[in-house]
Amino acid sequence: MAELGSKGVTAGKIAINVQKKLTRAQEKVLQKLGKADETKDEQFEQCVQNFNKQLSEGTRLQKDLRTYLASVKAMHEASKKLTECLQEVYEPDWPGRDDTNKIAENNDLLWTDFHQKLVDQALLTMDTYLGQFPDIKSRIAKRGRKLVDYDSARHHFEALQTAKKKDETKIAKAEEELVKAQKVFEEMNVDLQEELPSLWNSRVGFYVNTFQSIAGLEENFHKEMSKLNQNLHDVLLGLDKQYSGNAFPVKAQPSDSTPAKANKSPSPPPDGSPITSPETKTVNHDLEPSTLEAPGASIPKSPSQPAEAAHAGAEAAGSEAAAGAEPSKTETDSGSSSLPAVVVETFPATVNGTVEGGTSSERADMPPGFLFKVQAMHDYTATDSDELQLKAGDVVLVIPFENPEEQDEGWLMGVKESDWIQRKELDQCRGVFPENFTERVQ
C-alpha cells in the first residue's frame, strides 16, 4: 500500500509539472501574438544583461589564465632541459661545477614556486569567482518561469471577473492562485534585484586583486631569476678567465683560387710542342675547341724542314688567332686558375613532359582555406569543446576562422592532419588551439 501511495504521489507531481509547462507555453504564445500583456521590468532586464556580460568576461579571463599557466609550465620544462644540458657539458674538473648544480636546482624550485603561486592566488580565486554564476543563472531562469505563472494566473482571474456568467467559487480559487503566484515571484524578484547589482559592482575589485597578484608574482619571480642569472654569469666568467690562455687557433682551409696556385703554370713539354689548355667537360653540352690545328700549321720539330712550311704555319696561326681573339682572351683570363671552369645548367624535373611544381597536388589534398602546417611542441589538454587535444608531435593544418572577429589573440583554428586524412570532415574535426604550443613547419 505504501508503494502504491508513493507511486501515486510521484505521478501526481509529474502531472502537475506537465500542466505547468503547458500553461506557460500557452501564455508565451498569447504574449507573442499580442493577445495577452506581459509584465516587464526594464531595470531587472538591464541587470540580466550586465550579468551575462560579466559571466562572458570572466569565462574568457579564466580561459586566458589557464593558457598563461600552461605557457609558464612549458617554459619551466624548456628552462629545466637547458640547465640539464649545461650540467652535462660542464666537465667535473672545471671550476664552479658545484655552483652550476646549485643554480640549476634553485632555477627549478623558482619555476615550480612561481607556477604554484599563480594557481593558488589567481586560478583558484578565478574559479571561486565564477562558481557563483551558475546558481544565480538558474535562479534568473526560474524567476522568468514564475513571472509567466504570475501573468497566466492574473489573466485567468481577469477573464473570470469579466465573464458574463460569473462563478464566485472559481473566481475565489483563481484569486487565491494569483496571490500565491505573485508572492513566489516577488520573493525571487526581490532577492535577485539585490544580488545582481552587488555582483556587477564586485567585478572591479576582483579584476584589481587578480591582476595585482599576477603582477606581484611576476615581479618577485624575475627578481630572483635575475640573481640566479647573475650568479651563473659570474661562474662562467671565472671559467673563461682560467681557460682564456688555452685557446686553439682555427686554420682556414686553402681554397682553389689562392695566389700560390694561380701563379703556377705547367712547364713546357720536353719536345717543345705548344701547351694546350685542358678540355672543359659540360653537362648536356659539347663545346667545340676554340682553335683547330690546320694542316701544315704545326711547328716543325726539326730545322731540316723547309722555311715555307714554317711561314705558312705562322700565317695560319695568325689568322686563327684573329678569328678567335675573344675566346683566347677568356682563356687567358681563366688561365690563372689551376682547375678548369665547369659550366653547370639546371633543368626542372619533368614527368611526361610536364614540369612538376609539387605545390598544386599538395594543396588539393588540404582542407579548404589551408594556410600552413604547424607541429605541436608540447601536450595541450583541451579545456573547452571547441578546442583541439594535442600531443607533442601532432601535425595541425591551420585554416582561417569563419568569422575573423571570433579569433582571440594567440589562438589558431585548425584540424589535425591525421583526422583530416582519415575522415575528410572539417566541421567535426576542426578546433582552436594555442599558437605558442606549436612550431610552424610549412
Side-chain angles (χ1 to χ4, degrees):
M1 294 295 292
E3 293 181 357
L4 292 176
S6 62
K7 290 183 179 180
V9 172
T10 304
K13 290 183 177 180
I14 294 176
I16 292 173
N17 291 334
V18 171
Q19 183 62 37
K20 284 183 177 181
K21 290 181 179 180
L22 291 175
T23 304
R24 290 168 183 165
Q26 182 180 4
E27 182 67 21
K28 288 181 178 180
V29 171
L30 293 175
Q31 289 176 354
K32 289 182 179 180
L33 295 176
K35 295 183 179 180
D37 60 331
E38 179 182 0
T39 302
K40 291 186 177 181
D41 188 343
E42 295 182 357
Q43 183 179 358
F44 183 82
E45 291 177 358
Q46 182 63 43
C47 291
V48 172
Q49 292 180 5
N50 294 338
F51 172 84
N52 292 331
K53 180 182 178 182
Q54 188 176 1
L55 176 59
S56 176
E57 291 175 350
T59 304
R60 179 179 178 180
L61 178 57
Q62 183 188 45
K63 182 178 180 180
D64 292 340
L65 185 57
R66 290 183 182 276
T67 303
Y68 175 76
L69 286 169
S71 301
V72 170
K73 189 173 183 180
M75 189 62 191
H76 178 198
E77 293 297 326
S79 177
K80 186 176 180 180
K81 290 181 179 179
L82 187 62
T83 53
E84 289 176 353
C85 180
L86 175 62
Q87 289 177 290
E88 291 178 1
V89 301
Y90 209 98
E91 298 182 6
D93 58 338
W94 289 356
R97 168 78 181 192
D98 295 337
D99 293 335
T100 57
N101 293 339
K102 188 64 176 178
I103 291 172
E105 181 181 353
N106 292 337
N107 183 284
D108 182 58
L109 292 175
L110 190 59
W111 276 107
T112 303
D113 182 68
F114 178 52
H115 183 272
Q116 187 61 44
K117 286 183 177 179
L118 283 174
V119 172
D120 295 339
Q121 300 183 25
L123 183 60
L124 295 182
T125 305
M126 187 78 221
D127 294 341
T128 303
Y129 170 74
L130 290 179
Q132 56 188 334
F133 283 84
D135 177 64
I136 297 178
K137 187 175 182 179
S138 64
R139 289 166 58 193
I140 292 174
K142 187 175 181 180
R143 182 253 185 202
R145 295 192 297 270
K146 296 304 179 182
L147 177 60
V148 175
D149 293 343
Y150 167 70
D151 286 340
S152 177
R154 179 168 56 84
H155 294 151
H156 180 61
F157 176 70
E158 292 175 354
L160 291 177
Q161 282 186 327
T162 57
K164 294 181 180 180
K165 186 178 180 181
K166 295 183 179 181
D167 189 339
E168 297 298 334
T169 304
K170 290 183 178 180
I171 292 176
K173 185 178 180 180
E175 185 178 5
E176 182 181 353
E177 292 178 354
L178 174 60
V179 172
K180 183 179 178 180
Q182 183 178 4
K183 181 180 179 181
V184 173
F185 166 72
E186 288 182 351
E187 288 179 355
M188 298 191 65
N189 185 58
V190 170
D191 293 340
L192 290 173
Q193 289 278 12
E194 295 177 355
E195 291 185 26
L196 289 179
S198 177
L199 179 64
W200 173 250
N201 294 331
S202 68
R203 75 192 191 285
V204 178
F206 171 76
Y207 295 153
V208 170
N209 293 333
T210 301
F211 284 98
Q212 277 184 345
S213 299
I214 296 175
L217 292 174
E218 282 189 351
E219 182 182 6
N220 294 333
F221 170 77
H222 290 301
K223 282 182 179 179
E224 297 298 325
M225 185 62 69
S226 177
K227 294 179 182 178
L228 290 180
N229 291 334
Q230 184 62 42
N231 294 339
L232 180 60
H233 177 269
D234 295 340
V235 172
L236 296 177
L237 186 61
L239 176 64
D240 180 62
K241 288 181 179 180
Q242 181 167 346
Y243 285 86
S244 59
N246 298 333
F248 296 95
V250 180
K251 296 181 180 180
Q253 295 293 335
S255 61
D256 294 339
S257 59
T258 55
K261 284 191 174 183
N263 294 332
K264 289 185 178 180
S265 60
S267 54
D271 57 357
S273 60
I275 301 173
T276 59
S277 61
E279 295 181 359
T280 301
K281 293 184 179 181
T282 62
V283 181
N284 297 332
H285 291 279
D286 294 327
L287 299 180
E288 296 183 358
S290 59
T291 58
L292 297 176
E293 294 182 358
S298 61
I299 300 175
K301 295 184 179 181
S302 63
S304 62
Q305 291 182 350
E308 291 80 8
H311 180 67
E315 290 180 355
S319 62
E320 290 174 0
E326 195 64 30
S328 298
K329 182 179 179 181
T330 304
E331 291 176 2
T332 303
D333 295 337
S334 63
S336 61
S337 175
S338 62
L339 294 179
V342 179
V343 179
V344 180
E345 295 184 10
T346 58
F347 300 92
T350 60
V351 177
N352 297 329
T354 304
V355 178
E356 288 192 338
T359 57
S360 60
S361 60
E362 293 180 1
R363 290 276 179 174
D365 294 335
M366 298 301 176
F370 167 72
L371 300 176
F372 52 86
K373 289 183 181 180
V374 296
Q375 187 175 21
M377 305 303 294
H378 310 282
D379 295 348
Y380 177 70
T381 303
T383 58
D384 206 344
S385 59
D386 63 339
E387 296 180 3
L388 289 181
Q389 185 89 4
L390 298 180
K391 295 290 184 182
D394 286 349
V395 177
V396 184
L397 309 178
V398 180
I399 58 176
F401 281 75
E402 293 183 353
N403 184 3
E405 296 180 356
E406 296 179 355
Q407 182 176 7
D408 296 331
E409 184 177 358
W411 290 79
L412 298 175
M413 172 72 73
V415 56
K416 288 194 206 177
E417 187 177 42
S418 57
D419 294 342
W420 174 253
I421 293 175
Q422 293 176 2
R423 305 181 187 176
K424 300 287 184 181
E425 296 179 357
L426 189 60
D427 292 338
Q428 298 181 3
C429 300
R430 65 182 173 183
V432 297
F433 60 94
E435 183 179 4
N436 55 4
F437 273 61
T438 61
E439 181 181 21
R440 182 165 177 172
V441 296
Q442 181 177 339

